[in-house]
Amino acid sequence: DADVTQTPRNRITKTGKRIMLECSQTKGHDRMYWYRQDPGLGLRLIYYSFDVKDINKGEISDGYSVSRQAQAKFSLSLESAIPNQTALYFCATSDAGTGGSGANVLTFGAGSRLTVL
Amino acid sequence: AQRVTQPEKLLSVFKGAPVELKCNYSYSGSPELFWYVQYSRQRLQLLLRHISRESIKGFTADLNKGETSFHLKKPFAQEEDSAMYYCALVLGSGNTGKLIFGQGTTLQVKP
Protein backbone atom coordinates (compact mmCIF):
# COMPACT_ATOMS: atom_id res chain seq x y z
CA ASP A 1 0.00 0.00 0.00
CA ALA A 2 1.12 3.51 -0.77
CA ASP A 3 2.49 5.55 2.13
CA VAL A 4 0.86 8.77 0.91
CA THR A 5 -2.45 8.39 -0.89
CA GLN A 6 -4.20 11.11 -2.82
CA THR A 7 -7.81 11.06 -4.04
CA PRO A 8 -9.06 11.64 -6.62
CA ARG A 9 -6.21 10.97 -9.04
CA ASN A 10 -7.97 12.83 -11.83
CA ARG A 11 -10.82 15.28 -11.76
CA ILE A 12 -12.48 17.48 -14.34
CA THR A 13 -14.78 20.18 -13.07
CA LYS A 14 -16.37 23.45 -14.13
CA THR A 15 -15.63 27.00 -13.14
CA GLY A 16 -17.27 27.94 -9.87
CA LYS A 17 -17.56 24.44 -8.47
CA ARG A 18 -16.20 23.48 -5.07
CA ILE A 19 -13.53 20.81 -5.16
CA MET A 20 -11.82 18.88 -2.42
CA LEU A 21 -8.60 16.93 -2.84
CA GLU A 22 -7.79 14.51 -0.10
CA CYS A 23 -4.53 13.17 1.22
CA SER A 24 -3.94 10.45 3.77
CA GLN A 25 -0.72 8.94 5.01
CA THR A 26 0.38 5.86 6.89
CA LYS A 27 3.93 6.99 7.57
CA GLY A 28 3.12 8.51 10.94
CA HIS A 29 4.65 11.80 9.88
CA ASP A 30 3.58 14.93 11.67
CA ARG A 31 4.07 17.38 8.83
CA MET A 32 1.98 17.56 5.67
CA TYR A 33 2.13 19.81 2.63
CA TRP A 34 0.21 20.66 -0.51
CA TYR A 35 2.17 21.65 -3.60
CA ARG A 36 1.01 22.60 -7.05
CA GLN A 37 2.97 21.68 -10.19
CA ASP A 38 2.68 23.69 -13.38
CA PRO A 39 4.81 23.17 -16.50
CA GLY A 40 7.77 25.51 -16.50
CA LEU A 41 7.10 26.65 -12.95
CA GLY A 42 8.11 23.64 -10.93
CA LEU A 43 6.36 22.94 -7.64
CA ARG A 44 4.96 25.72 -5.50
CA LEU A 45 3.85 25.41 -1.89
CA ILE A 46 0.16 26.11 -1.24
CA TYR A 47 -0.31 25.23 2.43
CA TYR A 48 1.51 23.26 5.07
CA SER A 49 0.68 21.86 8.47
CA PHE A 50 3.11 20.93 11.22
CA ASP A 51 0.43 19.25 13.31
CA VAL A 52 -3.35 19.13 13.59
CA LYS A 53 -3.57 22.57 15.18
CA ASP A 54 -0.85 24.25 13.15
CA ILE A 55 -1.75 25.26 9.59
CA ASN A 56 0.17 27.80 7.57
CA LYS A 57 -0.07 29.49 4.20
CA GLY A 58 2.52 28.84 1.55
CA GLU A 59 3.51 31.06 -1.34
CA ILE A 60 0.31 30.64 -3.38
CA SER A 61 -2.55 30.10 -0.91
CA ASP A 62 -5.08 32.50 -2.46
CA GLY A 63 -8.14 30.64 -3.70
CA TYR A 64 -7.37 27.57 -1.58
CA SER A 65 -8.16 26.37 1.91
CA VAL A 66 -7.09 23.30 3.87
CA SER A 67 -8.23 21.12 6.71
CA ARG A 68 -6.11 18.84 8.86
CA GLN A 69 -8.74 16.41 10.09
CA ALA A 70 -6.26 14.14 11.84
CA GLN A 71 -2.53 13.61 11.90
CA ALA A 72 -2.92 11.31 8.91
CA LYS A 73 -5.32 13.42 6.82
CA PHE A 74 -4.86 16.74 5.10
CA SER A 75 -7.40 18.04 2.59
CA LEU A 76 -7.13 20.84 0.08
CA SER A 77 -10.25 22.70 -1.03
CA LEU A 78 -10.95 25.02 -3.90
CA GLU A 79 -14.05 26.92 -2.84
CA SER A 80 -14.83 28.22 -6.31
CA ALA A 81 -12.58 26.67 -8.92
CA ILE A 82 -11.24 28.76 -11.78
CA PRO A 83 -9.41 27.65 -14.95
CA ASN A 84 -5.98 28.86 -13.81
CA GLN A 85 -6.19 26.36 -10.97
CA THR A 86 -5.84 23.62 -13.54
CA ALA A 87 -2.68 21.83 -12.42
CA LEU A 88 -1.18 18.71 -10.89
CA TYR A 89 -1.46 18.81 -7.11
CA PHE A 90 0.90 16.94 -4.83
CA CYS A 91 0.55 16.09 -1.18
CA ALA A 92 3.75 15.45 0.74
CA THR A 93 4.75 14.53 4.27
CA SER A 94 7.84 14.79 6.41
CA ASP A 95 8.91 13.79 9.86
CA ALA A 96 10.25 16.41 12.22
CA GLY A 97 11.07 13.72 14.72
CA THR A 98 13.98 12.26 12.80
CA GLY A 99 17.46 13.45 13.48
CA GLY A 100 19.27 16.11 11.57
CA SER A 101 17.16 17.74 8.89
CA GLY A 102 14.67 14.92 8.49
CA ALA A 103 11.78 17.32 8.29
CA ASN A 104 13.24 18.65 5.05
CA VAL A 105 13.01 15.25 3.34
CA LEU A 106 9.59 15.00 1.72
CA THR A 107 7.61 11.88 0.81
CA PHE A 108 5.21 12.61 -2.03
CA GLY A 109 1.88 11.21 -3.09
CA ALA A 110 1.18 10.23 -6.67
CA GLY A 111 -0.55 13.49 -7.49
CA SER A 112 -4.08 14.65 -8.30
CA ARG A 113 -4.60 16.09 -11.74
CA LEU A 114 -7.29 18.76 -11.71
CA THR A 115 -8.79 20.33 -14.81
CA VAL A 116 -11.11 23.31 -14.46
CA LEU A 117 -13.13 24.09 -17.55
CA ALA B 1 14.21 36.48 -1.90
CA GLN B 2 15.15 32.85 -2.07
CA ARG B 3 15.03 31.35 -5.51
CA VAL B 4 16.07 28.23 -7.40
CA THR B 5 16.79 28.33 -11.11
CA GLN B 6 17.20 25.39 -13.43
CA PRO B 7 18.07 26.98 -16.76
CA GLU B 8 17.45 23.95 -18.96
CA LYS B 9 13.96 22.59 -19.53
CA LEU B 10 15.30 19.66 -21.51
CA LEU B 11 18.68 18.00 -21.61
CA SER B 12 19.19 15.28 -24.17
CA VAL B 13 22.29 13.09 -24.19
CA PHE B 14 23.37 9.74 -25.56
CA LYS B 15 23.90 6.72 -23.35
CA GLY B 16 27.40 6.73 -21.90
CA ALA B 17 27.83 10.48 -22.22
CA PRO B 18 28.46 12.69 -19.16
CA VAL B 19 25.50 14.54 -17.71
CA GLU B 20 25.33 17.81 -15.82
CA LEU B 21 21.98 19.25 -14.76
CA LYS B 22 22.41 22.82 -13.65
CA CYS B 23 20.95 24.39 -10.54
CA ASN B 24 21.59 27.88 -9.24
CA TYR B 25 20.13 29.31 -6.07
CA SER B 26 19.83 32.65 -4.36
CA TYR B 27 20.03 32.75 -0.58
CA SER B 28 22.19 34.87 1.66
CA GLY B 29 22.31 32.31 4.45
CA SER B 30 23.68 28.79 4.60
CA PRO B 31 21.66 26.79 2.08
CA GLU B 32 20.33 23.28 2.35
CA LEU B 33 19.80 21.80 -1.08
CA PHE B 34 18.27 18.68 -2.57
CA TRP B 35 17.76 16.94 -5.87
CA TYR B 36 14.41 15.20 -6.37
CA VAL B 37 13.63 12.95 -9.32
CA GLN B 38 10.42 11.79 -10.96
CA TYR B 39 10.68 8.76 -13.22
CA SER B 40 7.90 7.99 -15.66
CA ARG B 41 4.79 6.77 -13.83
CA GLN B 42 6.50 7.04 -10.47
CA ARG B 43 6.28 9.49 -7.61
CA LEU B 44 8.57 12.38 -7.02
CA GLN B 45 11.30 11.10 -4.73
CA LEU B 46 14.46 12.27 -3.09
CA LEU B 47 17.62 11.57 -5.09
CA LEU B 48 20.24 13.18 -2.90
CA ARG B 49 20.94 16.09 -0.56
CA HIS B 50 24.09 18.08 -0.20
CA ILE B 51 24.59 17.54 3.52
CA SER B 52 24.91 13.79 2.95
CA ARG B 53 27.70 14.23 0.40
CA GLU B 54 26.74 10.89 -1.09
CA SER B 55 26.53 9.36 -4.53
CA ILE B 56 23.18 7.89 -5.49
CA LYS B 57 22.76 5.88 -8.71
CA GLY B 58 26.09 7.32 -9.83
CA PHE B 59 24.92 10.92 -9.40
CA THR B 60 26.78 13.46 -7.30
CA ALA B 61 26.15 17.11 -6.57
CA ASP B 62 28.54 19.55 -4.99
CA LEU B 63 27.52 22.75 -3.32
CA ASN B 64 29.52 25.69 -4.67
CA LYS B 65 28.78 28.66 -2.47
CA GLY B 66 30.94 31.00 -4.53
CA GLU B 67 28.92 30.32 -7.65
CA THR B 68 25.70 29.63 -5.70
CA SER B 69 25.28 26.40 -7.61
CA PHE B 70 24.37 22.79 -6.89
CA HIS B 71 24.77 21.04 -10.21
CA LEU B 72 23.91 17.36 -10.55
CA LYS B 73 26.49 15.26 -12.37
CA LYS B 74 26.94 11.74 -13.62
CA PRO B 75 29.95 10.62 -15.66
CA PHE B 76 28.14 8.04 -17.80
CA ALA B 77 24.41 8.42 -18.42
CA GLN B 78 22.15 5.37 -18.60
CA GLU B 79 18.79 5.09 -20.31
CA GLU B 80 17.11 4.48 -16.96
CA ASP B 81 18.26 7.93 -15.85
CA SER B 82 15.64 9.49 -18.13
CA ALA B 83 13.35 11.44 -15.83
CA MET B 84 12.35 14.88 -14.59
CA TYR B 85 14.82 16.32 -12.09
CA TYR B 86 14.05 19.07 -9.61
CA CYS B 87 16.51 21.04 -7.55
CA ALA B 88 15.11 22.26 -4.23
CA LEU B 89 16.21 24.70 -1.52
CA VAL B 90 14.99 24.77 2.05
CA LEU B 91 13.12 27.99 2.75
CA GLY B 92 14.75 29.78 5.65
CA SER B 93 17.10 27.96 7.92
CA GLY B 94 16.81 24.83 9.98
CA ASN B 95 14.26 22.07 9.89
CA THR B 96 11.44 24.06 8.31
CA GLY B 97 10.30 21.34 5.92
CA LYS B 98 9.38 24.01 3.38
CA LEU B 99 11.11 23.67 0.05
CA ILE B 100 11.44 25.97 -2.94
CA PHE B 101 11.68 24.00 -6.16
CA GLY B 102 13.26 24.92 -9.45
CA GLN B 103 11.37 24.68 -12.71
CA GLY B 104 12.63 21.17 -13.38
CA THR B 105 14.81 19.68 -16.10
CA THR B 106 13.78 16.72 -18.20
CA LEU B 107 16.72 14.43 -18.86
CA GLN B 108 16.41 12.30 -21.95
CA VAL B 109 19.05 9.61 -22.43
CA LYS B 110 19.04 8.22 -25.93
CA PRO B 111 20.31 4.74 -26.77
PDB file of all heavy atoms in Angstrom, chain B residues 6 16 18 22 26-28 31-32 34-35 39 48 53 57 64 66 70 79 81 85-86 90 92 98 107-108:
ATOM      1  N   GLN B   6      16.668  26.453 -12.595  1.00  0.00           N
ATOM      2  CA  GLN B   6      17.205  25.388 -13.433  1.00  0.00           C
ATOM      3  C   GLN B   6      17.072  25.884 -14.866  1.00  0.00           C
ATOM      4  O   GLN B   6      15.972  25.926 -15.408  1.00  0.00           O
ATOM      5  CB  GLN B   6      16.421  24.088 -13.221  1.00  0.00           C
ATOM      6  CG  GLN B   6      16.585  23.509 -11.834  1.00  0.00           C
ATOM      7  CD  GLN B   6      15.764  22.257 -11.640  1.00  0.00           C
ATOM      8  OE1 GLN B   6      14.791  22.228 -10.904  1.00  0.00           O
ATOM      9  NE2 GLN B   6      16.156  21.197 -12.330  1.00  0.00           N
ATOM     10  N   GLY B  16      25.951   6.751 -22.083  1.00  0.00           N
ATOM     11  CA  GLY B  16      27.397   6.731 -21.904  1.00  0.00           C
ATOM     12  C   GLY B  16      28.039   8.106 -21.859  1.00  0.00           C
ATOM     13  O   GLY B  16      29.207   8.228 -21.477  1.00  0.00           O
ATOM     14  N   PRO B  18      28.572  12.043 -20.476  1.00  0.00           N
ATOM     15  CA  PRO B  18      28.455  12.686 -19.160  1.00  0.00           C
ATOM     16  C   PRO B  18      27.220  13.584 -19.121  1.00  0.00           C
ATOM     17  O   PRO B  18      26.767  14.116 -20.137  1.00  0.00           O
ATOM     18  CB  PRO B  18      29.742  13.512 -19.055  1.00  0.00           C
ATOM     19  CG  PRO B  18      30.134  13.770 -20.470  1.00  0.00           C
ATOM     20  CD  PRO B  18      29.690  12.569 -21.259  1.00  0.00           C
ATOM     21  N   LYS B  22      22.031  21.612 -14.364  1.00  0.00           N
ATOM     22  CA  LYS B  22      22.410  22.818 -13.648  1.00  0.00           C
ATOM     23  C   LYS B  22      21.333  23.294 -12.668  1.00  0.00           C
ATOM     24  O   LYS B  22      20.138  23.193 -12.943  1.00  0.00           O
ATOM     25  CB  LYS B  22      22.729  23.931 -14.645  1.00  0.00           C
ATOM     26  CG  LYS B  22      23.911  23.605 -15.557  1.00  0.00           C
ATOM     27  CD  LYS B  22      24.309  24.795 -16.378  1.00  0.00           C
ATOM     28  CE  LYS B  22      25.363  24.436 -17.409  1.00  0.00           C
ATOM     29  NZ  LYS B  22      26.564  23.851 -16.810  1.00  0.00           N
ATOM     30  N   SER B  26      19.556  31.372  -4.991  1.00  0.00           N
ATOM     31  CA  SER B  26      19.833  32.655  -4.365  1.00  0.00           C
ATOM     32  C   SER B  26      19.382  32.577  -2.920  1.00  0.00           C
ATOM     33  O   SER B  26      18.210  32.270  -2.644  1.00  0.00           O
ATOM     34  CB  SER B  26      19.123  33.798  -5.095  1.00  0.00           C
ATOM     35  OG  SER B  26      17.737  33.627  -5.060  1.00  0.00           O
ATOM     36  N   TYR B  27      20.316  32.781  -2.023  1.00  0.00           N
ATOM     37  CA  TYR B  27      20.034  32.753  -0.584  1.00  0.00           C
ATOM     38  C   TYR B  27      21.255  33.286   0.120  1.00  0.00           C
ATOM     39  O   TYR B  27      22.361  32.803  -0.097  1.00  0.00           O
ATOM     40  CB  TYR B  27      19.712  31.330  -0.132  1.00  0.00           C
ATOM     41  CG  TYR B  27      19.407  31.203   1.343  1.00  0.00           C
ATOM     42  CD1 TYR B  27      18.507  32.070   1.975  1.00  0.00           C
ATOM     43  CD2 TYR B  27      20.003  30.218   2.121  1.00  0.00           C
ATOM     44  CE1 TYR B  27      18.222  31.954   3.315  1.00  0.00           C
ATOM     45  CE2 TYR B  27      19.716  30.095   3.462  1.00  0.00           C
ATOM     46  CZ  TYR B  27      18.826  30.963   4.057  1.00  0.00           C
ATOM     47  OH  TYR B  27      18.535  30.844   5.394  1.00  0.00           O
ATOM     48  N   SER B  28      21.064  34.232   0.990  1.00  0.00           N
ATOM     49  CA  SER B  28      22.191  34.875   1.659  1.00  0.00           C
ATOM     50  C   SER B  28      22.707  34.057   2.840  1.00  0.00           C
ATOM     51  O   SER B  28      23.832  34.272   3.300  1.00  0.00           O
ATOM     52  CB  SER B  28      21.787  36.264   2.143  1.00  0.00           C
ATOM     53  OG  SER B  28      20.670  36.178   2.997  1.00  0.00           O
ATOM     54  N   PRO B  31      22.743  27.517   2.739  1.00  0.00           N
ATOM     55  CA  PRO B  31      21.656  26.791   2.079  1.00  0.00           C
ATOM     56  C   PRO B  31      21.653  25.297   2.397  1.00  0.00           C
ATOM     57  O   PRO B  31      22.691  24.706   2.680  1.00  0.00           O
ATOM     58  CB  PRO B  31      21.959  27.014   0.605  1.00  0.00           C
ATOM     59  CG  PRO B  31      23.450  27.075   0.561  1.00  0.00           C
ATOM     60  CD  PRO B  31      23.859  27.774   1.827  1.00  0.00           C
ATOM     61  N   GLU B  32      20.461  24.726   2.330  1.00  0.00           N
ATOM     62  CA  GLU B  32      20.331  23.277   2.352  1.00  0.00           C
ATOM     63  C   GLU B  32      19.627  22.885   1.066  1.00  0.00           C
ATOM     64  O   GLU B  32      18.510  23.336   0.809  1.00  0.00           O
ATOM     65  CB  GLU B  32      19.529  22.799   3.564  1.00  0.00           C
ATOM     66  CG  GLU B  32      19.450  21.269   3.636  1.00  0.00           C
ATOM     67  CD  GLU B  32      18.812  20.765   4.907  1.00  0.00           C
ATOM     68  OE1 GLU B  32      18.558  21.580   5.816  1.00  0.00           O
ATOM     69  OE2 GLU B  32      18.549  19.544   4.985  1.00  0.00           O
ATOM     70  N   PHE B  34      18.644  20.034  -2.229  1.00  0.00           N
ATOM     71  CA  PHE B  34      18.270  18.676  -2.568  1.00  0.00           C
ATOM     72  C   PHE B  34      18.107  18.546  -4.085  1.00  0.00           C
ATOM     73  O   PHE B  34      17.837  19.520  -4.775  1.00  0.00           O
ATOM     74  CB  PHE B  34      16.908  18.317  -1.951  1.00  0.00           C
ATOM     75  CG  PHE B  34      16.851  18.391  -0.459  1.00  0.00           C
ATOM     76  CD1 PHE B  34      16.678  19.612   0.173  1.00  0.00           C
ATOM     77  CD2 PHE B  34      16.947  17.250   0.310  1.00  0.00           C
ATOM     78  CE1 PHE B  34      16.607  19.688   1.554  1.00  0.00           C
ATOM     79  CE2 PHE B  34      16.869  17.319   1.695  1.00  0.00           C
ATOM     80  CZ  PHE B  34      16.703  18.545   2.320  1.00  0.00           C
ATOM     81  N   TRP B  35      18.218  17.308  -4.535  1.00  0.00           N
ATOM     82  CA  TRP B  35      17.756  16.944  -5.867  1.00  0.00           C
ATOM     83  C   TRP B  35      16.667  15.886  -5.692  1.00  0.00           C
ATOM     84  O   TRP B  35      16.882  14.873  -5.006  1.00  0.00           O
ATOM     85  CB  TRP B  35      18.879  16.392  -6.737  1.00  0.00           C
ATOM     86  CG  TRP B  35      19.701  17.457  -7.391  1.00  0.00           C
ATOM     87  CD1 TRP B  35      20.896  17.958  -6.965  1.00  0.00           C
ATOM     88  CD2 TRP B  35      19.389  18.168  -8.581  1.00  0.00           C
ATOM     89  NE1 TRP B  35      21.330  18.934  -7.811  1.00  0.00           N
ATOM     90  CE2 TRP B  35      20.424  19.087  -8.825  1.00  0.00           C
ATOM     91  CE3 TRP B  35      18.311  18.118  -9.493  1.00  0.00           C
ATOM     92  CZ2 TRP B  35      20.440  19.943  -9.927  1.00  0.00           C
ATOM     93  CZ3 TRP B  35      18.329  18.968 -10.590  1.00  0.00           C
ATOM     94  CH2 TRP B  35      19.385  19.869 -10.792  1.00  0.00           C
ATOM     95  N   TYR B  39      10.635   9.655 -12.078  1.00  0.00           N
ATOM     96  CA  TYR B  39      10.679   8.760 -13.219  1.00  0.00           C
ATOM     97  C   TYR B  39       9.276   8.593 -13.775  1.00  0.00           C
ATOM     98  O   TYR B  39       8.291   8.836 -13.079  1.00  0.00           O
ATOM     99  CB  TYR B  39      11.249   7.402 -12.822  1.00  0.00           C
ATOM    100  CG  TYR B  39      12.654   7.474 -12.253  1.00  0.00           C
ATOM    101  CD1 TYR B  39      12.875   7.390 -10.886  1.00  0.00           C
ATOM    102  CD2 TYR B  39      13.757   7.643 -13.093  1.00  0.00           C
ATOM    103  CE1 TYR B  39      14.152   7.478 -10.361  1.00  0.00           C
ATOM    104  CE2 TYR B  39      15.038   7.734 -12.574  1.00  0.00           C
ATOM    105  CZ  TYR B  39      15.223   7.649 -11.206  1.00  0.00           C
ATOM    106  OH  TYR B  39      16.498   7.736 -10.686  1.00  0.00           O
ATOM    107  N   LEU B  48      19.148  12.981  -3.844  1.00  0.00           N
ATOM    108  CA  LEU B  48      20.236  13.181  -2.904  1.00  0.00           C
ATOM    109  C   LEU B  48      20.149  14.580  -2.298  1.00  0.00           C
ATOM    110  O   LEU B  48      19.425  15.445  -2.778  1.00  0.00           O
ATOM    111  CB  LEU B  48      21.589  12.945  -3.571  1.00  0.00           C
ATOM    112  CG  LEU B  48      21.980  13.726  -4.810  1.00  0.00           C
ATOM    113  CD1 LEU B  48      22.446  15.128  -4.494  1.00  0.00           C
ATOM    114  CD2 LEU B  48      23.101  13.007  -5.569  1.00  0.00           C
ATOM    115  N   ARG B  53      26.499  14.372   1.222  1.00  0.00           N
ATOM    116  CA  ARG B  53      27.703  14.233   0.404  1.00  0.00           C
ATOM    117  C   ARG B  53      27.842  12.788  -0.117  1.00  0.00           C
ATOM    118  O   ARG B  53      28.890  12.172  -0.018  1.00  0.00           O
ATOM    119  CB  ARG B  53      28.945  14.635   1.192  1.00  0.00           C
ATOM    120  CG  ARG B  53      28.883  16.058   1.719  1.00  0.00           C
ATOM    121  CD  ARG B  53      30.171  16.459   2.404  1.00  0.00           C
ATOM    122  NE  ARG B  53      31.283  16.502   1.483  1.00  0.00           N
ATOM    123  CZ  ARG B  53      31.562  17.521   0.702  1.00  0.00           C
ATOM    124  NH1 ARG B  53      30.802  18.599   0.710  1.00  0.00           N
ATOM    125  NH2 ARG B  53      32.611  17.498  -0.097  1.00  0.00           N
ATOM    126  N   LYS B  57      22.933   6.314  -7.317  1.00  0.00           N
ATOM    127  CA  LYS B  57      22.761   5.880  -8.706  1.00  0.00           C
ATOM    128  C   LYS B  57      23.827   6.504  -9.602  1.00  0.00           C
ATOM    129  O   LYS B  57      23.579   6.779 -10.778  1.00  0.00           O
ATOM    130  CB  LYS B  57      21.365   6.217  -9.214  1.00  0.00           C
ATOM    131  CG  LYS B  57      20.262   5.536  -8.426  1.00  0.00           C
ATOM    132  CD  LYS B  57      18.886   5.793  -9.016  1.00  0.00           C
ATOM    133  CE  LYS B  57      17.828   5.049  -8.221  1.00  0.00           C
ATOM    134  NZ  LYS B  57      16.473   5.245  -8.778  1.00  0.00           N
ATOM    135  N   ASN B  64      28.507  24.670  -4.400  1.00  0.00           N
ATOM    136  CA  ASN B  64      29.522  25.688  -4.666  1.00  0.00           C
ATOM    137  C   ASN B  64      28.957  27.025  -4.216  1.00  0.00           C
ATOM    138  O   ASN B  64      28.174  27.660  -4.927  1.00  0.00           O
ATOM    139  CB  ASN B  64      29.863  25.721  -6.162  1.00  0.00           C
ATOM    140  CG  ASN B  64      31.007  26.662  -6.491  1.00  0.00           C
ATOM    141  OD1 ASN B  64      31.132  27.711  -5.867  1.00  0.00           O
ATOM    142  ND2 ASN B  64      31.835  26.287  -7.432  1.00  0.00           N
ATOM    143  N   GLY B  66      30.450  29.844  -3.772  1.00  0.00           N
ATOM    144  CA  GLY B  66      30.944  30.997  -4.530  1.00  0.00           C
ATOM    145  C   GLY B  66      30.117  31.266  -5.774  1.00  0.00           C
ATOM    146  O   GLY B  66      29.815  32.410  -6.116  1.00  0.00           O
ATOM    147  N   PHE B  70      24.481  24.147  -7.427  1.00  0.00           N
ATOM    148  CA  PHE B  70      24.371  22.788  -6.886  1.00  0.00           C
ATOM    149  C   PHE B  70      24.061  21.886  -8.078  1.00  0.00           C
ATOM    150  O   PHE B  70      23.017  21.276  -8.177  1.00  0.00           O
ATOM    151  CB  PHE B  70      23.277  22.738  -5.826  1.00  0.00           C
ATOM    152  CG  PHE B  70      23.181  21.426  -5.077  1.00  0.00           C
ATOM    153  CD1 PHE B  70      24.267  20.903  -4.394  1.00  0.00           C
ATOM    154  CD2 PHE B  70      21.982  20.729  -5.031  1.00  0.00           C
ATOM    155  CE1 PHE B  70      24.180  19.710  -3.703  1.00  0.00           C
ATOM    156  CE2 PHE B  70      21.875  19.530  -4.326  1.00  0.00           C
ATOM    157  CZ  PHE B  70      22.977  19.022  -3.674  1.00  0.00           C
ATOM    158  N   GLU B  79      20.146   4.826 -19.841  1.00  0.00           N
ATOM    159  CA  GLU B  79      18.785   5.087 -20.314  1.00  0.00           C
ATOM    160  C   GLU B  79      17.804   5.197 -19.161  1.00  0.00           C
ATOM    161  O   GLU B  79      16.857   5.989 -19.219  1.00  0.00           O
ATOM    162  CB  GLU B  79      18.349   3.984 -21.283  1.00  0.00           C
ATOM    163  CG  GLU B  79      19.071   4.029 -22.618  1.00  0.00           C
ATOM    164  CD  GLU B  79      18.590   2.951 -23.558  1.00  0.00           C
ATOM    165  OE1 GLU B  79      17.434   3.020 -23.992  1.00  0.00           O
ATOM    166  OE2 GLU B  79      19.376   2.031 -23.851  1.00  0.00           O
ATOM    167  N   ASP B  81      18.169   6.632 -16.497  1.00  0.00           N
ATOM    168  CA  ASP B  81      18.259   7.935 -15.845  1.00  0.00           C
ATOM    169  C   ASP B  81      17.267   8.935 -16.430  1.00  0.00           C
ATOM    170  O   ASP B  81      17.091  10.034 -15.887  1.00  0.00           O
ATOM    171  CB  ASP B  81      19.675   8.513 -15.995  1.00  0.00           C
ATOM    172  CG  ASP B  81      20.727   7.674 -15.309  1.00  0.00           C
ATOM    173  OD1 ASP B  81      20.401   7.059 -14.257  1.00  0.00           O
ATOM    174  OD2 ASP B  81      21.869   7.627 -15.799  1.00  0.00           O
ATOM    175  N   TYR B  85      14.002  16.043 -13.263  1.00  0.00           N
ATOM    176  CA  TYR B  85      14.816  16.318 -12.090  1.00  0.00           C
ATOM    177  C   TYR B  85      14.531  17.720 -11.565  1.00  0.00           C
ATOM    178  O   TYR B  85      14.500  18.694 -12.326  1.00  0.00           O
ATOM    179  CB  TYR B  85      16.306  16.206 -12.446  1.00  0.00           C
ATOM    180  CG  TYR B  85      16.745  14.800 -12.753  1.00  0.00           C
ATOM    181  CD1 TYR B  85      16.493  14.232 -13.997  1.00  0.00           C
ATOM    182  CD2 TYR B  85      17.392  14.016 -11.795  1.00  0.00           C
ATOM    183  CE1 TYR B  85      16.876  12.934 -14.287  1.00  0.00           C
ATOM    184  CE2 TYR B  85      17.783  12.719 -12.075  1.00  0.00           C
ATOM    185  CZ  TYR B  85      17.519  12.188 -13.323  1.00  0.00           C
ATOM    186  OH  TYR B  85      17.905  10.893 -13.602  1.00  0.00           O
ATOM    187  N   TYR B  86      14.311  17.797 -10.262  1.00  0.00           N
ATOM    188  CA  TYR B  86      14.051  19.074  -9.606  1.00  0.00           C
ATOM    189  C   TYR B  86      15.119  19.356  -8.558  1.00  0.00           C
ATOM    190  O   TYR B  86      15.426  18.495  -7.731  1.00  0.00           O
ATOM    191  CB  TYR B  86      12.699  19.063  -8.894  1.00  0.00           C
ATOM    192  CG  TYR B  86      11.501  19.101  -9.802  1.00  0.00           C
ATOM    193  CD1 TYR B  86      10.812  17.938 -10.122  1.00  0.00           C
ATOM    194  CD2 TYR B  86      11.043  20.303 -10.324  1.00  0.00           C
ATOM    195  CE1 TYR B  86       9.701  17.970 -10.946  1.00  0.00           C
ATOM    196  CE2 TYR B  86       9.927  20.348 -11.151  1.00  0.00           C
ATOM    197  CZ  TYR B  86       9.268  19.175 -11.456  1.00  0.00           C
ATOM    198  OH  TYR B  86       8.166  19.216 -12.275  1.00  0.00           O
ATOM    199  N   VAL B  90      15.808  24.593   0.849  1.00  0.00           N
ATOM    200  CA  VAL B  90      14.986  24.771   2.049  1.00  0.00           C
ATOM    201  C   VAL B  90      14.747  26.256   2.274  1.00  0.00           C
ATOM    202  O   VAL B  90      15.686  27.060   2.225  1.00  0.00           O
ATOM    203  CB  VAL B  90      15.671  24.152   3.285  1.00  0.00           C
ATOM    204  CG1 VAL B  90      14.892  24.491   4.549  1.00  0.00           C
ATOM    205  CG2 VAL B  90      15.781  22.645   3.118  1.00  0.00           C
ATOM    206  N   GLY B  92      14.299  29.404   4.324  1.00  0.00           N
ATOM    207  CA  GLY B  92      14.749  29.783   5.647  1.00  0.00           C
ATOM    208  C   GLY B  92      15.858  28.860   6.108  1.00  0.00           C
ATOM    209  O   GLY B  92      16.516  28.182   5.325  1.00  0.00           O
ATOM    210  N   LYS B  98       9.946  23.285   4.521  1.00  0.00           N
ATOM    211  CA  LYS B  98       9.384  24.006   3.381  1.00  0.00           C
ATOM    212  C   LYS B  98      10.462  24.142   2.313  1.00  0.00           C
ATOM    213  O   LYS B  98      11.534  24.658   2.575  1.00  0.00           O
ATOM    214  CB  LYS B  98       8.896  25.389   3.815  1.00  0.00           C
ATOM    215  CG  LYS B  98       7.768  25.341   4.828  1.00  0.00           C
ATOM    216  CD  LYS B  98       7.374  26.745   5.269  1.00  0.00           C
ATOM    217  CE  LYS B  98       8.439  27.381   6.113  1.00  0.00           C
ATOM    218  NZ  LYS B  98       8.050  28.727   6.573  1.00  0.00           N
ATOM    219  N   LEU B 107      15.536  15.094 -18.302  1.00  0.00           N
ATOM    220  CA  LEU B 107      16.720  14.432 -18.857  1.00  0.00           C
ATOM    221  C   LEU B 107      16.262  13.298 -19.760  1.00  0.00           C
ATOM    222  O   LEU B 107      15.508  12.428 -19.348  1.00  0.00           O
ATOM    223  CB  LEU B 107      17.612  13.891 -17.740  1.00  0.00           C
ATOM    224  CG  LEU B 107      18.825  13.059 -18.211  1.00  0.00           C
ATOM    225  CD1 LEU B 107      19.782  13.902 -19.045  1.00  0.00           C
ATOM    226  CD2 LEU B 107      19.546  12.432 -17.025  1.00  0.00           C
ATOM    227  N   GLN B 108      16.724  13.345 -20.977  1.00  0.00           N
ATOM    228  CA  GLN B 108      16.412  12.300 -21.947  1.00  0.00           C
ATOM    229  C   GLN B 108      17.722  11.638 -22.357  1.00  0.00           C
ATOM    230  O   GLN B 108      18.611  12.293 -22.916  1.00  0.00           O
ATOM    231  CB  GLN B 108      15.726  12.941 -23.160  1.00  0.00           C
ATOM    232  CG  GLN B 108      15.290  11.993 -24.228  1.00  0.00           C
ATOM    233  CD  GLN B 108      14.706  12.765 -25.410  1.00  0.00           C
ATOM    234  OE1 GLN B 108      15.426  13.375 -26.186  1.00  0.00           O
ATOM    235  NE2 GLN B 108      13.397  12.743 -25.529  1.00  0.00           N
TER     236      GLN B 108
END
